[in-house]
Amino acid sequence: MVKASMCFRYVFSVLALVFLTSGCAAVAIGTAGGAGTYVYLKGQLVREYNAGMDQSFEAVLATCRALDLQVQNRARNLSEAKVSAIDGDRTVWFTLESQSTRRTELRVRVGLLGDKVASQRIHEEFVSQLR
């Protein structure tokens, strides 16, 4: 019985380690007021918004202005947009992807490895710029 228990713990530990280091692990964070859910995935904080691509793209640019982020590059087509900006010595990447005419997904990555707290602050400013 002891051998089976030890074997089970070993297999469980190995599987947990593989899952956590595979890049597939995601952490969901509830937002204030139940307005939606953020997902932190591979260094990016992701959330869908009830706003079209035009409104979302303008809100990203307004967010950059409000947070004193210097826009370096921006590109846009019908279904996707990308903006990169500088925050001190780090790059901030915004990726917008149209989910429908009234829904857009926003991905924010701060720095090469990601910064969850800074990304959440950027999402909060983005929400205020949508209004």
Side-chain angles (χ1 to χ4, degrees), residues 95-130:
T95 303
L96 293 163
E97 188 174 310
S98 178
Q99 303 299 307
S100 70
T101 57
R102 294 184 179 153
R103 288 196 63 80
T104 304
E105 177 185 85
L106 172 61
R107 295 176 175 265
V108 176
R109 178 188 209 109
V110 178
L112 289 176
L113 299 177
D115 180 333
K116 185 168 42 174
V117 173
S119 296
Q120 188 165 6
R121 170 69 185 106
I122 291 169
H123 272 273
E124 290 168 2
E125 182 61 35
F126 176 80
V127 168
S128 71
Q129 296 299 326
L130 276 176

mmCIF file of all heavy atoms in Angstrom, residues 95-130:
data_model
loop_
_atom_site.group_PDB
_atom_site.id
_atom_site.type_symbol
_atom_site.label_atom_id
_atom_site.label_comp_id
_atom_site.label_asym_id
_atom_site.label_seq_id
_atom_site.Cartn_x
_atom_site.Cartn_y
_atom_site.Cartn_z
ATOM 1 N N THR A 95 -2.402 43.929 -28.427
ATOM 2 C CA THR A 95 -2.917 43.210 -29.587
ATOM 3 C C THR A 95 -4.430 43.173 -29.473
ATOM 4 O O THR A 95 -4.972 42.709 -28.470
ATOM 5 C CB THR A 95 -2.362 41.774 -29.659
ATOM 6 O OG1 THR A 95 -0.939 41.829 -29.674
ATOM 7 C CG2 THR A 95 -2.865 41.062 -30.901
ATOM 8 N N LEU A 96 -5.093 43.703 -30.482
ATOM 9 C CA LEU A 96 -6.553 43.691 -30.548
ATOM 10 C C LEU A 96 -6.973 42.701 -31.617
ATOM 11 O O LEU A 96 -6.412 42.692 -32.713
ATOM 12 C CB LEU A 96 -7.082 45.073 -30.922
ATOM 13 C CG LEU A 96 -6.890 46.179 -29.900
ATOM 14 C CD1 LEU A 96 -7.063 47.537 -30.552
ATOM 15 C CD2 LEU A 96 -7.859 46.001 -28.758
ATOM 16 N N GLU A 97 -7.961 41.879 -31.295
ATOM 17 C CA GLU A 97 -8.493 40.947 -32.274
ATOM 18 C C GLU A 97 -10.010 41.009 -32.238
ATOM 19 O O GLU A 97 -10.625 40.819 -31.184
ATOM 20 C CB GLU A 97 -8.026 39.527 -31.954
ATOM 21 C CG GLU A 97 -8.380 38.540 -33.036
ATOM 22 C CD GLU A 97 -7.787 37.173 -32.758
ATOM 23 O OE1 GLU A 97 -6.588 37.084 -32.473
ATOM 24 O OE2 GLU A 97 -8.565 36.198 -32.815
ATOM 25 N N SER A 98 -10.599 41.290 -33.383
ATOM 26 C CA SER A 98 -12.052 41.389 -33.484
ATOM 27 C C SER A 98 -12.674 40.012 -33.313
ATOM 28 O O SER A 98 -12.307 39.065 -34.004
ATOM 29 C CB SER A 98 -12.430 41.979 -34.842
ATOM 30 O OG SER A 98 -13.825 42.047 -34.970
ATOM 31 N N GLN A 99 -13.618 39.910 -32.383
ATOM 32 C CA GLN A 99 -14.347 38.668 -32.163
ATOM 33 C C GLN A 99 -15.697 38.705 -32.884
ATOM 34 O O GLN A 99 -16.235 37.670 -33.248
ATOM 35 C CB GLN A 99 -14.564 38.436 -30.666
ATOM 36 C CG GLN A 99 -13.275 38.397 -29.869
ATOM 37 C CD GLN A 99 -12.356 37.272 -30.303
ATOM 38 O OE1 GLN A 99 -12.773 36.119 -30.360
ATOM 39 N NE2 GLN A 99 -11.118 37.591 -30.608
ATOM 40 N N SER A 100 -16.225 39.907 -33.051
ATOM 41 C CA SER A 100 -17.453 40.164 -33.804
ATOM 42 C C SER A 100 -17.485 41.674 -34.031
ATOM 43 O O SER A 100 -16.558 42.378 -33.657
ATOM 44 C CB SER A 100 -18.696 39.700 -33.027
ATOM 45 O OG SER A 100 -18.930 40.532 -31.916
ATOM 46 N N THR A 101 -18.569 42.167 -34.618
ATOM 47 C CA THR A 101 -18.641 43.606 -34.866
ATOM 48 C C THR A 101 -18.721 44.407 -33.572
ATOM 49 O O THR A 101 -18.409 45.598 -33.555
ATOM 50 C CB THR A 101 -19.850 43.963 -35.746
ATOM 51 O OG1 THR A 101 -21.036 43.494 -35.108
ATOM 52 C CG2 THR A 101 -19.706 43.363 -37.129
ATOM 53 N N ARG A 102 -19.115 43.754 -32.478
ATOM 54 C CA ARG A 102 -19.287 44.454 -31.193
ATOM 55 C C ARG A 102 -18.429 43.902 -30.064
ATOM 56 O O ARG A 102 -18.610 44.288 -28.919
ATOM 57 C CB ARG A 102 -20.752 44.402 -30.772
ATOM 58 C CG ARG A 102 -21.630 45.169 -31.704
ATOM 59 C CD ARG A 102 -23.040 45.169 -31.210
ATOM 60 N NE ARG A 102 -23.878 45.937 -32.115
ATOM 61 C CZ ARG A 102 -25.153 45.734 -32.267
ATOM 62 N NH1 ARG A 102 -25.765 44.801 -31.579
ATOM 63 N NH2 ARG A 102 -25.850 46.471 -33.099
ATOM 64 N N ARG A 103 -17.536 42.987 -30.369
ATOM 65 C CA ARG A 103 -16.658 42.415 -29.329
ATOM 66 C C ARG A 103 -15.228 42.363 -29.833
ATOM 67 O O ARG A 103 -14.982 41.948 -30.966
ATOM 68 C CB ARG A 103 -17.105 41.013 -28.931
ATOM 69 C CG ARG A 103 -18.380 41.052 -28.109
ATOM 70 C CD ARG A 103 -18.679 39.775 -27.372
ATOM 71 N NE ARG A 103 -17.733 39.353 -26.373
ATOM 72 C CZ ARG A 103 -17.664 39.839 -25.127
ATOM 73 N NH1 ARG A 103 -18.454 40.812 -24.752
ATOM 74 N NH2 ARG A 103 -16.812 39.346 -24.256
ATOM 75 N N THR A 104 -14.312 42.780 -28.955
ATOM 76 C CA THR A 104 -12.894 42.791 -29.296
ATOM 77 C C THR A 104 -12.096 42.224 -28.138
ATOM 78 O O THR A 104 -12.359 42.542 -26.981
ATOM 79 C CB THR A 104 -12.416 44.228 -29.599
ATOM 80 O OG1 THR A 104 -13.235 44.780 -30.633
ATOM 81 C CG2 THR A 104 -10.966 44.247 -30.043
ATOM 82 N N GLU A 105 -11.127 41.394 -28.457
ATOM 83 C CA GLU A 105 -10.218 40.858 -27.445
ATOM 84 C C GLU A 105 -8.984 41.750 -27.389
ATOM 85 O O GLU A 105 -8.415 42.105 -28.415
ATOM 86 C CB GLU A 105 -9.799 39.442 -27.824
ATOM 87 C CG GLU A 105 -8.806 38.825 -26.862
ATOM 88 C CD GLU A 105 -8.335 37.475 -27.346
ATOM 89 O OE1 GLU A 105 -7.378 37.442 -28.148
ATOM 90 O OE2 GLU A 105 -8.927 36.462 -26.930
ATOM 91 N N LEU A 106 -8.573 42.111 -26.175
ATOM 92 C CA LEU A 106 -7.362 42.903 -25.963
ATOM 93 C C LEU A 106 -6.361 42.068 -25.193
ATOM 94 O O LEU A 106 -6.670 41.531 -24.126
ATOM 95 C CB LEU A 106 -7.676 44.189 -25.185
ATOM 96 C CG LEU A 106 -6.459 45.012 -24.738
ATOM 97 C CD1 LEU A 106 -5.632 45.496 -25.940
ATOM 98 C CD2 LEU A 106 -6.895 46.173 -23.878
ATOM 99 N N ARG A 107 -5.147 41.972 -25.737
ATOM 100 C CA ARG A 107 -4.021 41.319 -25.066
ATOM 101 C C ARG A 107 -2.986 42.392 -24.755
ATOM 102 O O ARG A 107 -2.620 43.158 -25.635
ATOM 103 C CB ARG A 107 -3.375 40.262 -25.956
ATOM 104 C CG ARG A 107 -4.272 39.103 -26.261
ATOM 105 C CD ARG A 107 -3.612 38.120 -27.248
ATOM 106 N NE ARG A 107 -4.458 36.975 -27.431
ATOM 107 C CZ ARG A 107 -4.328 35.844 -26.752
ATOM 108 N NH1 ARG A 107 -3.360 35.717 -25.870
ATOM 109 N NH2 ARG A 107 -5.158 34.845 -26.953
ATOM 110 N N VAL A 108 -2.531 42.427 -23.505
ATOM 111 C CA VAL A 108 -1.513 43.382 -23.088
ATOM 112 C C VAL A 108 -0.344 42.613 -22.504
ATOM 113 O O VAL A 108 -0.528 41.760 -21.632
ATOM 114 C CB VAL A 108 -2.054 44.380 -22.037
ATOM 115 C CG1 VAL A 108 -0.951 45.296 -21.536
ATOM 116 C CG2 VAL A 108 -3.205 45.196 -22.616
ATOM 117 N N ARG A 109 0.847 42.936 -22.984
ATOM 118 C CA ARG A 109 2.078 42.356 -22.438
ATOM 119 C C ARG A 109 3.022 43.501 -22.110
ATOM 120 O O ARG A 109 3.270 44.356 -22.947
ATOM 121 C CB ARG A 109 2.729 41.422 -23.435
ATOM 122 C CG ARG A 109 4.037 40.845 -22.920
ATOM 123 C CD ARG A 109 4.769 40.065 -24.011
ATOM 124 N NE ARG A 109 5.555 39.033 -23.385
ATOM 125 C CZ ARG A 109 5.296 37.749 -23.445
ATOM 126 N NH1 ARG A 109 4.264 37.314 -24.124
ATOM 127 N NH2 ARG A 109 6.065 36.885 -22.833
ATOM 128 N N VAL A 110 3.541 43.497 -20.890
ATOM 129 C CA VAL A 110 4.483 44.525 -20.452
ATOM 130 C C VAL A 110 5.831 43.860 -20.235
ATOM 131 O O VAL A 110 5.966 42.967 -19.395
ATOM 132 C CB VAL A 110 4.013 45.207 -19.154
ATOM 133 C CG1 VAL A 110 5.035 46.232 -18.685
ATOM 134 C CG2 VAL A 110 2.649 45.863 -19.356
ATOM 135 N N GLY A 111 6.835 44.274 -21.007
ATOM 136 C CA GLY A 111 8.165 43.683 -20.901
ATOM 137 C C GLY A 111 8.223 42.325 -21.568
ATOM 138 O O GLY A 111 7.212 41.761 -21.974
ATOM 139 N N LEU A 112 9.434 41.803 -21.680
ATOM 140 C CA LEU A 112 9.618 40.527 -22.377
ATOM 141 C C LEU A 112 8.942 39.359 -21.673
ATOM 142 O O LEU A 112 8.400 38.476 -22.318
ATOM 143 C CB LEU A 112 11.110 40.227 -22.533
ATOM 144 C CG LEU A 112 11.853 41.109 -23.530
ATOM 145 C CD1 LEU A 112 13.328 40.780 -23.526
ATOM 146 C CD2 LEU A 112 11.269 40.935 -24.924
ATOM 147 N N LEU A 113 8.977 39.344 -20.354
ATOM 148 C CA LEU A 113 8.410 38.227 -19.616
ATOM 149 C C LEU A 113 6.988 38.483 -19.145
ATOM 150 O O LEU A 113 6.331 37.580 -18.646
ATOM 151 C CB LEU A 113 9.295 37.890 -18.410
ATOM 152 C CG LEU A 113 10.718 37.484 -18.760
ATOM 153 C CD1 LEU A 113 11.531 37.256 -17.498
ATOM 154 C CD2 LEU A 113 10.724 36.250 -19.644
ATOM 155 N N GLY A 114 6.515 39.717 -19.283
ATOM 156 C CA GLY A 114 5.184 40.066 -18.815
ATOM 157 C C GLY A 114 5.207 40.572 -17.391
ATOM 158 O O GLY A 114 6.072 40.204 -16.601
ATOM 159 N N ASP A 115 4.284 41.450 -17.090
ATOM 160 C CA ASP A 115 4.124 42.011 -15.751
ATOM 161 C C ASP A 115 2.623 42.083 -15.513
ATOM 162 O O ASP A 115 1.945 42.958 -16.039
ATOM 163 C CB ASP A 115 4.766 43.390 -15.680
ATOM 164 C CG ASP A 115 4.660 44.054 -14.323
ATOM 165 O OD1 ASP A 115 3.705 43.762 -13.564
ATOM 166 O OD2 ASP A 115 5.520 44.885 -14.013
ATOM 167 N N LYS A 116 2.111 41.143 -14.722
ATOM 168 C CA LYS A 116 0.670 41.013 -14.531
ATOM 169 C C LYS A 116 0.058 42.262 -13.900
ATOM 170 O O LYS A 116 -0.997 42.723 -14.327
ATOM 171 C CB LYS A 116 0.370 39.774 -13.687
ATOM 172 C CG LYS A 116 -1.089 39.484 -13.526
ATOM 173 C CD LYS A 116 -1.402 38.118 -12.952
ATOM 174 C CE LYS A 116 -0.541 37.702 -11.825
ATOM 175 N NZ LYS A 116 -0.957 36.431 -11.204
ATOM 176 N N VAL A 117 0.724 42.832 -12.903
ATOM 177 C CA VAL A 117 0.180 44.008 -12.206
ATOM 178 C C VAL A 117 0.124 45.205 -13.151
ATOM 179 O O VAL A 117 -0.895 45.905 -13.227
ATOM 180 C CB VAL A 117 1.010 44.315 -10.941
ATOM 181 C CG1 VAL A 117 0.564 45.614 -10.302
ATOM 182 C CG2 VAL A 117 0.919 43.164 -9.957
ATOM 183 N N ALA A 118 1.197 45.458 -13.890
ATOM 184 C CA ALA A 118 1.212 46.578 -14.836
ATOM 185 C C ALA A 118 0.187 46.357 -15.950
ATOM 186 O O ALA A 118 -0.505 47.293 -16.363
ATOM 187 C CB ALA A 118 2.600 46.758 -15.424
ATOM 188 N N SER A 119 0.059 45.136 -16.418
ATOM 189 C CA SER A 119 -0.919 44.834 -17.467
ATOM 190 C C SER A 119 -2.333 45.061 -16.980
ATOM 191 O O SER A 119 -3.184 45.581 -17.718
ATOM 192 C CB SER A 119 -0.758 43.384 -17.938
ATOM 193 O OG SER A 119 0.494 43.186 -18.549
ATOM 194 N N GLN A 120 -2.600 44.702 -15.731
ATOM 195 C CA GLN A 120 -3.944 44.916 -15.181
ATOM 196 C C GLN A 120 -4.236 46.411 -15.079
ATOM 197 O O GLN A 120 -5.340 46.857 -15.395
ATOM 198 C CB GLN A 120 -4.097 44.249 -13.820
ATOM 199 C CG GLN A 120 -5.524 44.290 -13.327
ATOM 200 C CD GLN A 120 -5.767 43.347 -12.169
ATOM 201 O OE1 GLN A 120 -4.853 42.722 -11.642
ATOM 202 N NE2 GLN A 120 -7.010 43.239 -11.767
ATOM 203 N N ARG A 121 -3.263 47.195 -14.681
ATOM 204 C CA ARG A 121 -3.439 48.657 -14.596
ATOM 205 C C ARG A 121 -3.746 49.236 -15.984
ATOM 206 O O ARG A 121 -4.591 50.118 -16.126
ATOM 207 C CB ARG A 121 -2.171 49.291 -14.003
ATOM 208 C CG ARG A 121 -2.128 50.781 -14.076
ATOM 209 C CD ARG A 121 -3.170 51.423 -13.152
ATOM 210 N NE ARG A 121 -3.183 52.861 -13.350
ATOM 211 C CZ ARG A 121 -4.136 53.525 -13.993
ATOM 212 N NH1 ARG A 121 -5.170 52.892 -14.483
ATOM 213 N NH2 ARG A 121 -4.065 54.822 -14.139
ATOM 214 N N ILE A 122 -3.090 48.725 -17.005
ATOM 215 C CA ILE A 122 -3.335 49.188 -18.374
ATOM 216 C C ILE A 122 -4.752 48.817 -18.807
ATOM 217 O O ILE A 122 -5.467 49.633 -19.400
ATOM 218 C CB ILE A 122 -2.271 48.623 -19.332
ATOM 219 C CG1 ILE A 122 -0.921 49.289 -19.023
ATOM 220 C CG2 ILE A 122 -2.674 48.828 -20.785
ATOM 221 C CD1 ILE A 122 0.255 48.649 -19.706
ATOM 222 N N HIS A 123 -5.199 47.609 -18.495
ATOM 223 C CA HIS A 123 -6.575 47.215 -18.816
ATOM 224 C C HIS A 123 -7.581 48.127 -18.108
ATOM 225 O O HIS A 123 -8.595 48.512 -18.699
ATOM 226 C CB HIS A 123 -6.842 45.755 -18.426
ATOM 227 C CG HIS A 123 -6.511 44.769 -19.489
ATOM 228 N ND1 HIS A 123 -7.391 44.406 -20.477
ATOM 229 C CD2 HIS A 123 -5.392 44.046 -19.719
ATOM 230 C CE1 HIS A 123 -6.836 43.499 -21.262
ATOM 231 N NE2 HIS A 123 -5.620 43.265 -20.828
ATOM 232 N N GLU A 124 -7.312 48.458 -16.866
ATOM 233 C CA GLU A 124 -8.217 49.349 -16.130
ATOM 234 C C GLU A 124 -8.311 50.712 -16.801
ATOM 235 O O GLU A 124 -9.407 51.283 -16.923
ATOM 236 C CB GLU A 124 -7.751 49.493 -14.685
ATOM 237 C CG GLU A 124 -7.934 48.240 -13.862
ATOM 238 C CD GLU A 124 -7.216 48.285 -12.523
ATOM 239 O OE1 GLU A 124 -6.588 49.318 -12.192
ATOM 240 O OE2 GLU A 124 -7.279 47.272 -11.804
ATOM 241 N N GLU A 125 -7.187 51.238 -17.252
ATOM 242 C CA GLU A 125 -7.209 52.526 -17.958
ATOM 243 C C GLU A 125 -7.937 52.390 -19.282
ATOM 244 O O GLU A 125 -8.680 53.280 -19.693
ATOM 245 C CB GLU A 125 -5.787 53.048 -18.171
ATOM 246 C CG GLU A 125 -5.733 54.393 -18.850
ATOM 247 C CD GLU A 125 -6.424 55.498 -18.058
ATOM 248 O OE1 GLU A 125 -6.372 55.495 -16.809
ATOM 249 O OE2 GLU A 125 -7.019 56.407 -18.693
ATOM 250 N N PHE A 126 -7.741 51.267 -19.963
ATOM 251 C CA PHE A 126 -8.424 51.013 -21.232
ATOM 252 C C PHE A 126 -9.946 51.076 -21.039
ATOM 253 O O PHE A 126 -10.653 51.691 -21.831
ATOM 254 C CB PHE A 126 -8.001 49.644 -21.784
ATOM 255 C CG PHE A 126 -8.720 49.235 -23.046
ATOM 256 C CD1 PHE A 126 -8.324 49.731 -24.273
ATOM 257 C CD2 PHE A 126 -9.775 48.350 -23.003
ATOM 258 C CE1 PHE A 126 -8.991 49.368 -25.451
ATOM 259 C CE2 PHE A 126 -10.446 47.968 -24.146
ATOM 260 C CZ PHE A 126 -10.044 48.474 -25.375
ATOM 261 N N VAL A 127 -10.438 50.466 -19.955
ATOM 262 C CA VAL A 127 -11.876 50.482 -19.656
ATOM 263 C C VAL A 127 -12.358 51.916 -19.490
ATOM 264 O O VAL A 127 -13.417 52.303 -20.007
ATOM 265 C CB VAL A 127 -12.195 49.651 -18.394
ATOM 266 C CG1 VAL A 127 -13.623 49.897 -17.922
ATOM 267 C CG2 VAL A 127 -11.981 48.181 -18.669
ATOM 268 N N SER A 128 -11.588 52.739 -18.791
ATOM 269 C CA SER A 128 -12.020 54.129 -18.589
ATOM 270 C C SER A 128 -11.991 54.915 -19.907
ATOM 271 O O SER A 128 -12.777 55.834 -20.080
ATOM 272 C CB SER A 128 -11.165 54.824 -17.514
ATOM 273 O OG SER A 128 -9.861 55.058 -17.989
ATOM 274 N N GLN A 129 -11.138 54.538 -20.828
ATOM 275 C CA GLN A 129 -11.074 55.228 -22.124
ATOM 276 C C GLN A 129 -12.170 54.759 -23.070
ATOM 277 O O GLN A 129 -12.537 55.481 -24.002
ATOM 278 C CB GLN A 129 -9.698 54.999 -22.793
ATOM 279 C CG GLN A 129 -8.543 55.597 -22.023
ATOM 280 C CD GLN A 129 -8.643 57.094 -21.869
ATOM 281 O OE1 GLN A 129 -9.141 57.813 -22.735
ATOM 282 N NE2 GLN A 129 -8.163 57.601 -20.731
ATOM 283 N N LEU A 130 -12.736 53.592 -22.837
ATOM 284 C CA LEU A 130 -13.848 53.111 -23.665
ATOM 285 C C LEU A 130 -15.116 53.914 -23.430
ATOM 286 O O LEU A 130 -15.972 53.992 -24.287
ATOM 287 C CB LEU A 130 -14.144 51.632 -23.375
ATOM 288 C CG LEU A 130 -13.309 50.605 -24.112
ATOM 289 C CD1 LEU A 130 -13.674 49.209 -23.638
ATOM 290 C CD2 LEU A 130 -13.443 50.714 -25.607
#
